[in-house]
Amino acid sequence: MTPAPPVPSFEQGPIRPPSEAYSLLVRVIRNCTWNRCTFCPVYKGTRSSQRSLEDVLADVEAMATAAAVLRAEGRSALHGGRLPQEAFQVMLFLHGGERHVFLQDADPLAVKPDKLAAVVTRVRERFPTVERVTTYGRASTLARRTAGQLGTLREAGLTRVHLGLESGADEVLMAIDKGCTSGDLIAAGTNAVQAGLELCFYLMPGLGGRDQATAHVAGSARVIRAVAAAAPGERPLVVRLRTAAVVPGTPLAARRAAGEFVLPDDVEVAQELRDLLEQIGDARLELRSDHALNLLPGLEGSLPVDRERLLAMLDAFLSLPRERQARFAIGARLGLFAEIADLDDPARMARLESQFAGYEQPDADELLAAATALRARFI
């Protein structure tokens, strides 16, 4: 019997949000159209380019063929050379229930709306069980899109936009070379939610450094309040926390080395988050802490309903003696602690103390500095 022909390869971009781990990844545009943000290491040294509609649709067909093979033969089909290595993500998509699709790379919304709508339409046709089609988007791009253009995408089946807020303070946005203003962020977010799209803002506590922490919190709270107010009740704004880290080789690392930027430690970040919750007030939104960069994974809920509970969680950490704060921070970064109560677990504490065996006991400031440095591991 003639062996079945190999399934064609298809492109995959380098990243996707953690919430899209089981999504089908469809690469519409390569790399980042801006690529100047000082904190981001992902696309440095690359150039952005749009893929032809024909190539993207061919990828969708290849993914559909790979999915059919995997449904028929199971995981064993990944071995033997018939499927390209990127079919592993198709297997994850099947394992996740064939429900989610994510469009790559950094700014697919920069593609002409009718072209992007054609991609979404084909995805929906070839994978009819899909419930959610999402994409990254840049604020400056989304702010320029008209209601009609975004409506075209929504009608084609786009459901959600992931947008890097990072900060709502103009002075911080300028310092990180974000390429947008707080006004752009408000316009972009308002455009998205009013077009019927779900919106996920990504906020980076600590990104203002110690010098601009107050402005960072105030500006971010202002943008979040404005966009949250525009979102309908059935589709509230989602804010996902991504604690700032300094990655070697980035422009932000160069600023830090020159003494121009000091990254707040975990205690300072917790205070920023407490101030943010206070300044957000009664804004209605969903807060998510779904990344290993964050010290407190339990810091999430529906606001304003859960605000007092979240404030109490932050107060519990901030009220600890500094030595206990430092041990919790380093324990969390080492994967030993998930919640503050873990400090009272003898087995977990013994595992933490074993890390220091044979060394001079570090003080609280040294532990907090080490925990801050460890954040870069999670990028």
Side-chain angles (χ1 to χ4, degrees):
M1 185 171 64
T2 303
V7 175
S9 63
F10 45 89
E11 289 197 23
Q12 301 252 272
I15 61 170
R16 45 89 183 143
S19 59
E20 305 290 349
Y22 293 94
S23 296
L24 192 71
L25 304 180
V26 180
R27 197 177 200 186
V28 177
I29 188 171
R30 297 184 185 97
N31 306 316
C32 179
T33 56
W34 179 249
N35 201 18
R36 300 181 196 174
C37 296
T38 63
F39 61 87
C40 180
V42 178
Y43 301 105
K44 296 297 184 284
T46 68
R47 300 185 68 176
S48 178
S49 63
Q50 292 197 15
R51 303 187 64 209
S52 71
L53 178 59
E54 293 74 20
D55 285 348
V56 178
L57 297 183
D59 276 7
V60 174
E61 292 301 318
M63 292 177 193
T65 302
V69 172
L70 287 164
R71 291 190 196 99
E73 303 178 19
R75 187 187 183 109
S76 62
L78 290 170
H79 311 290
R82 184 181 174 197
L83 294 179
Q85 64 179 9
E86 55 268 23
F88 180 77
Q89 185 65 38
V90 179
M91 186 195 71
L92 292 179
F93 166 70
L94 298 180
H95 182 71
E98 306 183 43
R99 297 184 298 123
H100 303 154
V101 174
F102 179 69
L103 309 179
Q104 297 177 301
D105 279 342
D107 192 19
L109 289 172
V111 173
K112 290 183 178 180
D114 56 347
K115 175 180 172 181
L116 189 59
V119 173
V120 176
T121 298
R122 182 63 59 85
V123 165
R124 293 278 191 178
E125 290 171 350
R126 299 299 281 125
F127 298 95
T129 61
V130 164
E131 300 168 3
R132 188 180 79 199
V133 180
T134 70
T135 182
Y136 276 138
R138 292 196 68 247
S140 56
T141 301
L142 192 52
R144 295 194 303 268
R145 289 287 175 248
T146 66
Q149 290 171 330
L150 293 177
T152 295
L153 294 173
R154 179 181 53 76
E155 290 168 8
L158 185 68
T159 54
R160 176 186 293 176
V161 176
H162 296 272
L163 195 154
L165 168 62
E166 325 320 353
S167 177
D170 285 314
E171 50 266 62
V172 176
L173 293 169
M174 182 175 295
I176 63 173
D177 202 5
K178 181 65 180 172
C180 70
T181 66
S182 61
D184 292 330
L185 289 162
I186 292 172
T190 301
N191 284 352
V193 298
Q194 290 185 344
L197 298 170
E198 299 173 10
L199 178 67
C200 292
F201 265 159
Y202 289 79
L203 174 67
M204 298 184 70
L207 191 60
R210 285 181 177 163
D211 289 346
Q212 295 181 319
T214 300
H216 179 43
V217 170
S220 299
R222 183 176 67 87
V223 171
I224 289 169
R225 286 196 310 270
V227 178
E234 71 276 9
R235 202 170 46 255
L237 171 67
V238 177
V239 176
R240 298 182 185 273
L241 301 176
R242 297 288 184 270
T243 304
V246 177
V247 181
T250 59
L252 187 60
R255 286 190 61 211
R256 187 184 194 183
E260 299 171 359
F261 179 85
V262 179
L263 185 66
D265 64 31
D266 282 312
V267 178
E268 294 166 313
V269 168
Q271 185 62 57
E272 281 192 23
L273 288 168
R274 196 192 192 289
D275 294 342
L276 180 76
L277 288 175
E278 289 283 8
Q279 293 182 39
I280 284 175
D282 60 357
R284 186 179 47 79
L285 58 97
E286 296 293 316
L287 184 68
R288 297 287 179 262
S289 182
D290 58 349
H291 199 285
L293 279 166
N294 301 329
L295 184 70
L296 297 169
L299 195 73
E300 57 181 41
S302 300
L303 299 178
V305 174
D306 292 323
R307 190 174 67 147
E308 294 306 314
R309 175 178 64 80
L310 301 183
L311 286 171
M313 186 184 303
L314 290 165
D315 285 341
F317 174 70
L318 290 168
S319 65
L320 291 172
R322 187 165 178 80
E323 183 274 335
R324 296 269 282 175
Q325 291 174 333
R327 271 173 158 65
F328 179 78
I330 195 69
R333 298 301 176 199
L334 292 173
L336 301 176
F337 298 157
E339 55 186 5
I340 297 170
D342 290 337
L343 284 168
D344 299 319
D345 184 324
R348 292 178 185 270
M349 284 299 294
R351 290 174 62 194
L352 175 63
E353 296 305 328
S354 71
Q355 304 292 316
F356 312 132
Y359 298 92
E360 182 178 347
Q361 281 291 313
D363 63 24
D365 289 342
E366 290 171 331
L367 285 176
L368 284 169
T372 302
L374 283 172
R375 288 184 211 162
R377 293 172 52 188
F378 303 108
I379 298 293

